[in-house]
Amino acid sequence: MPEDRFLPPSLAAEARRVAWTIVNRLDDDDAVHQAVRRTANVAGVAPDWWGGAKLYGGNAGHALMLRYASRVARTSADRWRDRSRDILLRAISSTSERPPAHGGLGEGTAGLALVLDEFAADQPGYLRVRRQADRGLLQQVARASRGGSAVDPAAYDVVTGSAGILGYLASATTLDVDARVTAAGLIDGLVRLYGSPPGPPLKTTETCPDRAVDLGLAHGLAGHLAALSLAWNAGLRRPGQRAAIRSLASYLRDVAEEDAWGRIWPRRTPIDDSLPDQLPHKPMTWCYGAPGICSALLDAARALDDPDLTAAAVMSFESALRRALHGDGEPRTVCLCHGWSGLLTICHKFAEHGGSQNARAALTPLTERVLSHCSDDQALIVRTVHVPGTYVDSPSLLDGAAGVPLALWSVSTSVPPRWRRALLIG
């Protein structure tokens, strides 16, 4: 498969060059530690905000990036494979002092298990370690189900909650009986949020403490839809699950708004008249807004075998592309979470699996936007927005530099981007 099948050859070559420049900068421990300290000072957070075994913001995420570096490399694969192993061991050893506080995907055990599963794809010996992580994860899920809050939105989201854990289990190369039982429980828990038979989201001040329903992929309904759909597509199926998928997809389509560019979603929709009908801030990113929601709708369309839903997801995503590239929806930064790299990654999914020629055509300008944010003069090559007007040097996978090479390799190499499962975008 040619490496430049999505991009003009010269642009693909530049994308690979910049990706490697970022990787080499992130492979410098001193540069990373200095960047972490600077970011802590600017953002006013504790110096240990980065590190440990976290996938989204620590060594597990770097190990994932370096493992993909070993797959992309032509002449130095062994070096990067060894280096990825060293960073993975660093992540694992950190759990003795800083054990994951929960099972979540972003900062908990599910994220570390996902990275171990990626390593096992190349070297099956890692599967034993992954199964050990799985056992710890299943215990954490069991404890949370006994003592967790039934209405805490974070308990169900992608970053820290059950949707992210289910997304990992649905993507794992193998699952034992206990893991399948746990996955079934997670599915049942998400399905229960929508009643019996499944209907619209439960709009109460308990389930929505800020009086609005979160619609996004990272923390809201689109994350639930993605997790349930990916599980169904992976053969993890429970009573009521398909009906919940249909109900969620219908609700997300119903609450979309229209503007000059097409369909658009706010971050949240109000549950009553105490808030305006149209809440502000309608981003074009993975975490919130049309791109992440459309990705979940595309997965739901596959689960439901619904060509009309596929067409709606594609049409809405193409609207998001036009708005981001030519309108007022331009991301302010470059990272995966809320920047150009996340939009590029989802666009690649629609080009490959959504049959969208407009998405395929947009890969070139989106790659150019990502590259425009990269500079050798910056500590980690890319900087990310902390708050409007304030930039930080973050080494993180989700909201920093480590995710950018993965996005660039997805469109400039022939290496399959299975890493996207870390974001529940399939």
Side-chain angles (χ1 to χ4, degrees), residues 160-183:
T160 60
S162 60
I165 298 171
L166 178 59
Y168 155 64
L169 293 173
S171 73
T173 51
T174 61
L175 289 180
D176 62 20
V177 172
D178 290 339
R180 288 182 175 275
V181 170
T182 295

Side-chain angles (χ1 to χ4, degrees), residues 138-153:
L138 303 191
Q139 292 171 1
Q140 288 175 312
V141 172
R143 287 196 296 269
S145 67
R146 290 193 296 267
S149 169
V151 296
D152 179 9

Side-chain angles (χ1 to χ4, degrees), residues 30 66 83 97 170 187 213 231 242 269 315 343 347 356 374 414:
D30 288 339
L66 293 171
R83 182 59 173 157
E97 295 182 3
I187 293 169
V213 178
R242 202 163 188 261
T269 187
M315 180 182 68
L343 184 54
C347 187
S356 172
C374 303
S414 58

